[in-house]
Amino acid sequence: MTERIRALLDEAVAGVGPRSPDPVPEVLRRGRARRRRLAVAGTAAAVAVAVFAVGGIVAANRGTSGKTPASRPSSEHFEATVSGGYVRTGGLAVPIPPGWPVIQDKRLTYCEVPANVFLVNVAMTDAPCGPTRHAFVGPWRPYGTPASVAELALINEVVLPGGQPLWLSGNELANVRAAPSASVNAPWAAASISIRGQRPQVEALLRGITANPVPPARLTLPETSPAVQLSVSAEKQLTSADPAVIEQVRALLAALDQPVRPGELPCPGATKVTGTWKLAGTDMAALTFTDPIGHLASAEVAISAGDTCAFATSSLGGRVHLPAGFLGRVEQLLGGR
C-alpha cells in the first residue's frame, strides 16, 4: 500500500470526528426490535420490488476506464431476458431448471404461484399458502429506509469466475449450505436470485450461475451521500450524517489503489460453501451510503474484518486490497472505539 494512502488514513482518523450529536443512531436503536430476518427462497427479494433512487456516481477507478458504465443496472427499472435456457440481466446468467416454464413481470399471491416455475421480476404478496418449489430472479438494492440507513446483516462473498461477486448474509449462507432453498445477491447486476426445490436442483442452479468477466478495478463509489452507516456486527453499528466525516470515509475508499487481480481470491484455506463455491470473505462489515434524493440506501461496500487477505468490494463495482487496520480506522472516523 502506498505511503500516500497510509498518510491519508492517519490524517483522517486524527483530525476528523463527528461534530455534533447525530439523530440517525437513535432512529436505528428504535428499529433494532424490528431487525429484518432475511427470508428463504427469494421472499424478501420478491416482496420488496422498491424504487432504487441512486444519486450521482463517480468511478474511483482511474486505472481502467475511469468512467462508470452508463448502462449500470438498477432495481428501479429491472429488465431481464430469457434465452438459451438462462435468465439474463446486467451480465448475469442464471440457468433455468429443465422443464420449468418462466413467468415474468407479474404480481401474484403465493397461492397463485404454481410449482416448478421460474419467476422473473414477479412481486409475491402474502396469502394463506405454503411456498411452492420455484426459482426467482428479481431486483436487488441495499436495504434502507427513508431518512436513515437500515441495520444490515454482515456480508459473505463468493467470487464467480471472471471476478464478479455474489453476496450472502449469514442466514442466506446457512440456507445455501442446507438446501432445499437458497438465496444470493448479485449487487453489480442489482439482482437477487433464489430457488426452492430438491437439493440437486438447488445445487445445479447455483453451480450454473455465470457472469460476464470484469477487469480488475478500483472501487466505484457514490459521489455524495447524506448519511453512512458501518455495520461491524449485529450489535455494533456506527452512523454519521456529518458531511466532513462522510467525505473523509469516501476519500479513504477512493484512495485505495491496488485492485484485486484474477486468481488472488479466494485465499488459500477458504471455506467451502457448496460445489465449487468458496468464501472469499466471511462476515465482512457493511458500509452503506444513502442517496441524496430519496435518502434510501444507494450503495454498499463490503470490508474485510481481519488483516489477512483483506479486501473491499463495492456493490457499484470494483474490488481492492486493504492495508492492515483499515476497518479499525474507518470505525474510529465514525466515532467507534
Side-chain angles (χ1 to χ4, degrees), residues 36-253:
R36 70 178 78 250
R37 299 294 183 188
L38 297 176
V40 173
T43 301
V47 173
V49 185
V51 172
F52 177 24
V54 180
I57 297 173
V58 61
N61 173 24
R62 303 300 179 221
T64 54
S65 67
K67 295 182 180 180
T68 301
S71 59
R72 180 175 301 284
S74 84
S75 60
E76 183 177 359
H77 302 290
F78 185 84
E79 296 182 359
T81 60
V82 178
S83 64
Y86 286 81
V87 175
R88 305 176 189 273
T89 180
L92 173 73
V94 183
I96 301 171
W100 285 24
V102 175
I103 299 176
Q104 189 166 2
D105 300 329
K106 293 184 179 295
R107 182 179 296 274
L108 303 172
T109 68
Y110 284 112
C111 296
E112 295 173 320
V113 176
N116 302 323
V117 297
F118 201 117
L119 306 175
V120 180
N121 196 32
V122 171
M124 291 182 286
T125 57
D126 289 337
C129 297
T132 59
R133 185 180 301 168
H134 67 269
F136 173 89
V137 171
W140 174 93
R141 66 174 177 84
Y143 292 109
T145 57
S148 69
V149 182
E151 292 182 37
L152 301 170
L154 301 182
I155 295 172
N156 299 281
E157 180 169 318
V158 171
V159 179
L160 293 172
Q164 293 285 26
L166 293 177
W167 283 357
L168 307 86
S169 71
N171 285 348
E172 290 166 338
L173 179 59
N175 290 334
V176 166
R177 285 170 166 162
S181 61
S183 181
V184 299
N185 304 303
W188 45 275
S192 181
I193 310 152
S194 64
I195 180 171
R196 174 181 289 274
Q198 297 177 345
R199 188 178 183 89
Q201 292 173 319
V202 174
E203 292 182 344
L205 183 142
L206 297 178
R207 186 171 56 249
I209 295 173
T210 62
N212 294 342
V214 291
R218 294 164 67 172
L219 301 178
T220 300
L221 303 166
E223 188 174 275
T224 59
S225 179
V228 295
Q229 176 176 293
L230 178 68
S231 293
V232 183
S233 68
E235 295 76 30
K236 184 177 182 181
Q237 294 86 32
L238 303 171
T239 306
S240 179
D242 186 326
V245 172
I246 294 169
E247 179 53 32
Q248 288 291 333
V249 170
R250 191 192 164 284
L252 293 182
L253 293 166

